[in-house]
């Protein structure tokens, strides 16, 4: 293969993602899902993110008749009323009303993080396929539970980090597999924002509460769920990502969008061996418990590292790239993992490959830009999930890949909170502060 042939292959990489191989699949209610049958979907959690995702599914279904939102649920009655009216569907305060419906084929789980695992597990047990918003779950043990449930049930679960449907990751994966960077050494990325309010200080609706009537009613006890019991606190309800009981802050909200694509790019998704998290609350000294600036360093058993950095008080990114001994793949030179890009770049390490004739023939010695087509990655991610429901094939961000990213970022949170380096024993599924076998 020469440089021209490599470019042809790299240009086409990812173009066939999600193509169906079978026309029919058995649905959860026993009916056969034909190519023209509408998949019935329920949305559990219709705050800002759930409302957005539900609307995307509704628009996709309107465009191609592939799906229909038939029910929504939230513990805040106002959100239920607004969404059931807009989507012309049923509305509930109790998520079990959706899961128990035999006519619903799939559920979207877009609740606060601490509810993700429990709802997803119950939905899988009831035979539903699941679109599970990121982060996949809240704890390391929940990762194991979800993996086991999906393997046993053989249901389709798409984890909702839509950026993984972008072609850039799959083209980078192809280039790395073709030997373009040689032995992998380090992956780096960032997720920066600068907000005058501080991240996650979403508006508080003063009229809402557990002692209110009608649309102002909030089922606070259910919302707390597996989290510690606390008196009603609108700051926690409307701004849950600031608190450890319900979220991992930057790591689980934003680094998931970095760690998941990296696992896509690598030859195969991998669990970390050693993780350290650091940072602090440097600017936004409000009620938050999670840091406004956070960094992650991880080492992998196969001989490479990950370095991630983030601040909610500064908006300057670093390029997202993967370094190898013979070259580097820059997936997003602007550094924004969720923003569009029209190319990835291969940069050979000239001093190392200058005498490697096979490498130079295949890849050249000068920087090489590989084009990336313009996409609506959110639509593509949703369509991929719906298509996977019909074909029963793995979706773009399956739980096996997402689990590797989830363990990384959850361990980083644990490391930060405990103030120590942590190790993951994949065989025994344990997190320790000493290397396995030491």
């Amino acid at each position: 293969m020469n440089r021209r042939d490599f470019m042809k292959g790299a240009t086409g990489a990812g173009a066939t993602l999600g193509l169906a191989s079978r026309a029919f699949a058995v649905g959860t209610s026993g009916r056969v899902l034909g190519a023209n049958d509408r998949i019935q979907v329920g949305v559990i959690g219709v705050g800002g993110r759930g409302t957005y995702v539900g609307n995307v599914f509704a628009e996709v279904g309107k465009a191609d008749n592939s799906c229909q939102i038939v029910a929504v649920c939230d513990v805040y009655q106002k959100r239920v009323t607004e969404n059931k009216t807009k989507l012309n569907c049923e509305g509930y305060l109790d998520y079990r009303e959706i899961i128990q419906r035999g006519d619903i084929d799939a559920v979207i789980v877009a609740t606060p993080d601490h509810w993700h695992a429990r709802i997803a597990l119950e939905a899988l047990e009831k035979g539903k396929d699941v679109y599970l918003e990121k982060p996949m779950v809240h704890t390391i043990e929940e990762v194991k539970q979800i993996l086991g449930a999906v393997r046993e049930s053989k249901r389709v679960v798409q984890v909702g980090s839509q950026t993984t449907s972008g072609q850039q990751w799959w083209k980078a994966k192809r280039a790395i597999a073709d030997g373009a960077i040689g032995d992998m050494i380090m992956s780096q990325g960032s997720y920066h924002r600068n907000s005058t309010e501080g991240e996650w200080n979403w508006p508080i609706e003063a009229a809402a509460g557990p002692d209110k009537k009608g649309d102002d009613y909030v089922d606070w006890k259910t919302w707390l769920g597996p989290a510690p019991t606390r008196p009603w606190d609108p700051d926690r309800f409307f701004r849950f990502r600031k608190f450890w009981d319900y979220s991992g802050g930057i790591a689980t909200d934003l680094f998931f969008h970095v760690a998941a694509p990296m696992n896509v790019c690598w030859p195969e998704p991998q669990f970390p061996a050693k993780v350290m998290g650091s940072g602090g609350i440097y600017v936004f000294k409000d009620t938050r418990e999670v840091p406004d600036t956070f960094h992650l360093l991880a080492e992998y058993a196969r001989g490479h590292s990950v370095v991630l950095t983030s601040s909610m008080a500064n908006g300057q990114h670093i390029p997202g790239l993967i370094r190898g001994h013979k070259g580097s793949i820059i997936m997003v030179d602007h550094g924004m993992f969720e923003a569009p890009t029209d190319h990835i770049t291969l940069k050979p390490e000239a001093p190392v490959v200058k005498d490697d004739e096979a490498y130079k023939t295949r890849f050249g010695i000068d920087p090489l830009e590989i084009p990336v087509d313009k996409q609506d990655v959110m639509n593509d991610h949703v369509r991929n999930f719906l298509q996977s429901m019909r074909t029963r094939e793995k979706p773009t961000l399956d739980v096996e890949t997402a689990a590797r990213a989830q363990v990384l970022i959850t361990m980083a949170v644990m490391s930060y909170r405990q103030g120590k380096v942590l190790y993951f024993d994949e065989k025994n599924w344990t997190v320790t502060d000493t290397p396995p076998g030491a």
Side-chain angles (χ1 to χ4, degrees), residues 80-94:
V80 176
T81 300
E82 290 176 348
N83 279 274
K84 76 174 185 178
T85 300
K86 183 175 182 178
L87 297 171
N88 190 27
C89 66
E90 297 296 320
Y92 307 101
L93 280 169
D94 188 338

Side-chain angles (χ1 to χ4, degrees), residues 90-365:
E90 297 296 320
Y92 307 101
L93 280 169
D94 188 338
Y95 73 91
R96 291 169 295 187
E97 298 279 358
I98 286 181
I99 289 176
Q100 291 168 3
R101 279 182 52 167
D103 63 327
I104 290 181
D105 303 301
V107 297
I108 299 165
V109 181
T111 62
D113 308 353
H114 68 295
W115 264 107
H116 283 194
R118 180 179 294 189
I119 294 174
L121 289 168
E122 291 183 28
L124 292 170
E125 186 178 358
K126 291 293 184 180
K128 314 298 185 189
D129 293 325
V130 180
Y131 186 97
L132 182 56
E133 261 302 319
K134 63 80 205 166
M136 187 170 77
V137 292
H138 191 45
T139 69
I140 297 287
E141 181 58 30
E142 289 171 346
V143 178
K144 184 179 181 181
Q145 291 171 359
I146 290 289
L147 283 173
V150 173
R151 290 167 182 167
E152 182 177 350
S153 68
K154 303 194 185 308
R155 303 314 308 172
V156 172
V157 176
Q158 173 88 298
V159 180
S161 179
Q162 69 281 350
T163 189
T164 53
S165 280
Q167 290 183 16
Q168 59 267 37
W169 323 115
W170 301 90
K171 291 188 175 186
K173 182 182 186 71
R174 171 68 179 271
I176 292 170
D178 284 346
I181 68 171
D183 293 333
M184 194 165 65
I185 296 171
M186 187 187 83
S187 301
Q188 72 176 46
S190 67
Y191 205 122
H192 289 269
R193 290 177 178 168
N194 199 349
S195 167
T196 55
E197 300 85 15
E199 196 61 38
W200 309 301
N201 273 327
W202 298 311
I204 290 176
E205 298 183 26
D211 59 345
K212 302 301 174 62
K213 304 293 184 182
D215 280 350
D216 293 330
Y217 174 70
V218 175
D219 185 348
W220 174 241
K221 182 178 179 180
T222 294
W223 187 89
L224 286 171
T229 300
R230 293 179 182 273
W232 164 246
D233 186 342
D235 193 35
R236 287 177 175 266
F237 180 73
F238 287 103
R239 300 169 173 178
F240 71 91
R241 289 207 188 279
K242 299 195 303 180
F243 304 98
W244 294 124
D245 286 347
Y246 329 112
S247 171
I250 288 171
T252 53
D253 182 32
L254 303 178
F255 276 172
F256 198 97
H257 290 305
V258 181
M262 284 180 174
N263 273 273
V264 168
C265 295
W266 298 341
E268 61 183 5
Q270 298 171 41
F271 287 110
K274 179 181 179 182
V275 180
M276 185 185 77
S278 66
I281 303 174
Y282 299 149
V283 175
F284 300 115
K285 303 180 187 297
D286 53 14
T287 58
R288 76 185 61 229
E289 299 169 348
V290 304
D292 59 31
T293 301
F294 189 72
H295 314 291
L296 179 160
L297 175 62
E299 297 175 11
Y300 287 75
R302 300 194 184 177
H304 64 102
S305 301
V306 165
V307 177
L308 305 183
T309 180
S310 178
S311 177
M312 299 297 96
N314 182 280
Q316 301 305 308
H317 301 264
I318 63 174
L321 59 86
I322 298 175
R323 301 173 188 268
H325 181 54
K326 294 184 176 181
S328 298
I329 291 286
I330 304 173
M331 298 89 69
V332 279
D333 51 14
H334 51 56
M336 295 176 283
F337 275 69
E338 287 195 275
T341 184
D342 60 4
H343 68 279
I344 64 173
T345 304
L346 167 62
K347 285 191 173 181
E349 288 287 303
V352 174
V353 301
K354 62 183 177 62
D355 297 324
D356 188 335
E357 296 302 325
Y359 183 95
K360 290 193 295 183
T361 297
R362 191 170 193 183
F363 306 112
I365 199 168

Side-chain angles (χ1 to χ4, degrees), residues 16-36:
T16 59
L17 284 176
L19 290 182
S21 63
R22 302 206 311 263
F24 303 99
V26 177
T28 58
S29 61
R31 68 192 181 100
V32 174
L33 291 174
N36 295 319

